[in-house]
Amino acid sequence: MKYICQLGIILGVSFAGEVLARVLPLPIPASVWGLVVMLALLILRVIKPEHIRDTAEYLISIMPLLFVPPTVGLMQSWGLLRDNWLSFLIAVTVITAIVMAVTGLVAQRVEGGREE
């Protein structure tokens, strides 16, 4: 029952993100809105990490499995990608490097701001 309640909280926040994406005239995906709502609820202590920890850890542990359908979709679209595979590969590599660099800088800033 605990896992169902935790999943309900996560899905409720995700639904709130969907609603915000449809209501607000901004080009921000619903998943990002959901993350912002979850962050706000955690910061405001409306939701405590213990309320979602077990289910969130499980979802993170199976995350690689969740990438299988998009990968299959890419393989089915190989005819479209075949002519542009090099530019696609370069774009993915550059974007991945940028995301890793920004994530590292943010993590350093967050860790640097803590008193030990």
Side-chain angles (χ1 to χ4, degrees):
M1 188 67 174
K2 174 176 77 169
Y3 296 108
I4 293 173
C5 289
Q6 291 182 2
L7 184 61
I9 291 170
I10 293 171
L11 291 177
V13 171
S14 180
F15 179 72
E18 291 287 339
V19 170
L20 286 173
R22 298 211 191 272
V23 171
L24 298 176
L26 298 170
I28 299 174
S31 58
V32 174
W33 280 117
L35 290 172
V36 169
V37 170
M38 180 66 81
L39 179 63
L41 292 174
L42 287 168
I43 288 173
L44 296 172
R45 300 185 195 274
V46 174
I47 297 175
K48 294 180 181 167
E50 305 86 52
H51 294 157
I52 58 171
R53 177 171 284 128
D54 295 329
T55 301
E57 287 177 353
Y58 173 72
L59 290 173
I60 290 171
S61 73
I62 66 165
M63 190 177 285
L65 182 64
L66 301 176
F67 284 101
V68 171
T71 304
V72 171
L74 278 175
M75 293 173 73
Q76 288 179 339
S77 301
W78 177 247
L80 299 171
L81 295 173
R82 185 177 347 162
D83 298 333
N84 300 316
W85 70 270
L86 183 59
S87 59
F88 180 75
L89 183 64
I90 291 170
V92 168
T93 304
V94 170
I95 290 169
T96 300
I98 291 170
V99 168
M100 289 173 65
V102 169
T103 302
L105 291 171
V106 169
Q108 285 178 345
R109 173 146 309 174
V110 168
E111 287 296 319
R114 291 187 179 171
E115 294 286 330
E116 291 191 25

